[in-house]
Amino acid sequence: MIIALESYSAEVMAEVCKDEAVTGVVLGDLFCDYRMFPYGGAEITDYMRQLKDNGKNVYYQTPLYLTDAIFGEVVRKLNFWDSQSLLDGVLLQDVGLLKVLGEREGFSPALIWSYMGVPRSGALNLLYYRFLQSLAPVIVATDRPDHSRMMREHGIRTILICGKISYSTINRLCYYTYESGISKTDCARQCLRGELHMVNETFGFDMSVDGYLLGKKYIYGRPEETSAEQGKTGMPLIVYAPDEAACRSRRAELIQRGE
């Protein structure tokens, strides 16, 4: 089982390394590595080495907005981690990056098209996935067991996820720093506290402000269906959760309901 938590510290990493049920870990935040890591991602290579030393697979989640300003830097990091045998898979949702990595000779990590690269409508577009396959051997992540089954029937490799993130809106800038009137360098990771809410008096509703997302929620499907289909994909399940305690709870439910 692969786990993907919202944040990691040295203490959390030590616990994860001791957890025999965990076979892999997803590192890297979709928007802000300062949110995921106390030192903003400066420690990520050390964490990768620690995980590999403890027999865990390492997956890297690339940024959602892979702009020209950071594209080259991300590619260089991926190439370096691959050269050091620190990377087993890359989660991505950028067509350009998929093409670049697919053309790189000898690049060994699995290329996983993340659920953030799937249309929010939820429609299954096989032509879209065929196009991705034409760029590189790609594995498609989905939280829908029925979609996974249909894609497999058409020769498309899949990996199931548990805990898809739902949201009302998404922004290229951090909502938390904007609403709080502070600069990003002074945010002190306050978005992790989940205390601030944006209130719309006109329409009478409020929603959580969670960094770059408004109204962020984890959506968990039916454990029995997920477990049944996961065994047929040949790939481990990715469990998304806010923290280690919540992840353990979801894992226990999957084991219990999947039996």
Side-chain angles (χ1 to χ4, degrees), residues 173-187:
L173 301 176
C174 178
Y175 282 112
Y176 196 97
T177 56
Y178 177 80
E179 288 295 307
S180 304
I182 58 177
S183 67
K184 188 172 182 179
T185 55
D186 297 325
C187 70

Side-chain angles (χ1 to χ4, degrees), residues 65-230:
Y65 294 117
L66 205 55
T67 61
D68 290 344
I70 64 171
F71 189 95
E73 178 186 356
V74 169
V75 172
R76 285 190 293 272
K77 285 181 178 179
L78 294 174
N79 286 335
F80 170 71
W81 292 328
D82 181 33
S83 73
Q84 300 297 301
S85 300
L86 295 175
L87 199 56
D88 296 282
V90 179
L91 283 85
L92 68 167
Q93 50 286 315
D94 184 273
V95 172
L97 181 61
L98 178 64
K99 186 174 187 295
V100 167
L101 296 180
E103 292 175 346
R104 181 180 180 274
E105 186 176 354
F107 190 76
S108 60
L111 301 177
I112 303 172
W113 194 253
S114 86
Y115 72 91
M116 292 298 284
V118 177
R120 292 182 70 186
S121 65
L124 179 61
N125 189 334
L126 292 174
L127 290 177
Y128 173 62
Y129 297 125
R130 290 292 190 199
F131 166 69
L132 297 179
Q133 282 187 318
S134 71
L135 300 177
V138 66
I139 302 168
V140 178
T142 178
D143 67 324
R144 296 276 301 272
D146 56 335
H147 283 190
S148 174
R149 183 173 61 255
M150 284 186 281
M151 282 189 279
R152 287 192 299 102
E153 290 173 352
H154 286 82
I156 301 170
R157 294 183 65 193
T158 62
I159 184 169
L160 275 172
I161 69 171
C162 177
K164 177 181 178 180
I165 293 177
S166 173
Y167 54 89
S168 297
T169 62
I170 192 171
N171 195 22
R172 287 176 180 255
L173 301 176
C174 178
Y175 282 112
Y176 196 97
T177 56
Y178 177 80
E179 288 295 307
S180 304
I182 58 177
S183 67
K184 188 172 182 179
T185 55
D186 297 325
C187 70
R189 306 176 79 207
Q190 295 179 56
C191 61
L192 291 173
R193 300 177 183 177
E195 297 174 351
L196 188 64
H197 288 72
M198 177 178 286
V199 180
N200 188 315
E201 297 178 355
T202 303
F203 297 100
F205 68 88
D206 61 27
M207 60 182 68
S208 64
V209 178
D210 192 295
Y212 293 71
L213 301 174
L214 291 184
K216 177 181 176 181
K217 297 178 182 178
Y218 284 88
I219 305 298
Y220 295 96
R222 297 179 179 178
E224 59 274 14
E225 294 181 6
T226 299
S227 296
E229 173 61 20
Q230 183 269 324

